[in-house]
Amino acid sequence: MISGDLPDGMHIGARVKVQTEPKNNDEKLRYDNAWIRYIGPIHLAKNKNAIYIGIEWDQANGKHNGTLKDVHYFDITKESPNNEKYGAFVHPKRIKVGINFMQALRNTYAWEKDNTSSSSSNSKLDNIEFVGEASLVSQLSQFTQLTRIKLSNSNIAYIMTHINEIKENCSNCQYLDLEANLLSSWEDV
């Protein structure tokens, strides 16, 4: 029941980005990193059948530590000597699940030309031709030719699951940017 209603990759132990609630009207929408620690209903919800995701934030910006009004739902793995709060419950729609390295590489570099017809558009930009587009797309799609790979903010959570494919496709890479992803440890890299 629970897993059928959730996107692939949303499971207990998954690394995710969670949309934070703006503190004021001027604050931009942002996503912070967290771990999924619980999936299921919570006793204080108006809709008792609703599924919530219990998360453990990477930073102490939670509302509790896995216990909500004397009901324990999940454990927090971080030590909290100053009684900092790392836990929260969020709606599944606020969560972006992590992807593997090869998915991120394909999403960024394996472009496909948009085949949608632009005949109904009145934009003057419809008549602009990208000279050399086919050559550029072909070059970027040849992962083995890439020497610099930038995959910052790509929601990468898994590398080791596809390590042989990465070694094969990224053999000439000399620079790799993985800033602001969901990797839990540099040991994964």
Side-chain angles (χ1 to χ4, degrees), residues 14-173:
R15 251 344 236 148
V16 294
K17 287 191 182 276
V18 182
Q19 179 185 342
T20 60
E21 294 183 22
K23 294 179 174 78
N24 58 52
N25 291 340
D26 297 332
E27 188 177 68
K28 286 184 175 181
L29 180 69
R30 73 173 208 270
Y31 287 82
D32 288 337
N33 296 350
W35 293 92
I36 294 180
R37 299 293 183 215
Y38 172 83
I39 299 174
I42 55 176
H43 74 285
L44 294 177
K46 291 177 185 172
N47 178 352
K48 300 297 182 196
N49 296 321
I51 300 301
Y52 288 88
I53 309 298
I55 60 165
E56 178 179 345
W57 294 106
D58 284 4
Q59 305 297 320
N61 56 349
K63 298 181 178 180
H64 55 75
N65 275 333
T67 300
L68 187 61
K69 299 284 185 187
D70 298 324
V71 176
H72 182 73
Y73 289 95
F74 60 93
D75 293 321
I76 297 293
T77 61
K78 292 180 180 62
E79 302 247 346
S80 181
N82 299 328
N83 204 25
E84 298 158 320
K85 309 239 183 300
Y86 288 89
F89 286 103
V90 297
H91 192 278
K93 290 181 181 176
R94 290 181 47 198
I95 292 181
K96 288 184 179 182
V97 296
I99 62 174
N100 71 55
F101 180 92
M102 289 307 297
Q103 285 173 301
L105 188 66
R106 286 183 191 100
N107 291 349
T108 304
Y109 291 99
W111 298 350
E112 291 185 22
K113 186 166 176 70
D114 185 7
N115 293 326
T116 58
S117 172
S118 59
S119 60
S120 61
S121 174
N122 293 326
S123 172
K124 292 180 181 180
L125 297 178
D126 288 342
N127 296 324
I128 293 177
E129 180 181 349
F130 179 3
V131 177
E133 177 184 17
S135 174
L136 179 62
V137 168
S138 175
Q139 287 175 351
L140 289 176
S141 297
Q142 299 295 319
F143 301 144
T144 56
Q145 301 302 311
L146 298 175
T147 58
R148 298 178 59 85
I149 298 173
K150 183 172 176 23
L151 297 173
S152 58
N153 286 306
S154 296
N155 289 347
I156 299 171
Y158 314 103
I159 290 185
M160 298 308 291
T161 56
H162 293 85
I163 193 66
N164 290 334
E165 189 178 6
I166 294 168
K167 286 178 181 179
E168 181 180 313
N169 284 287
C170 302
S171 57
N172 287 322
C173 181

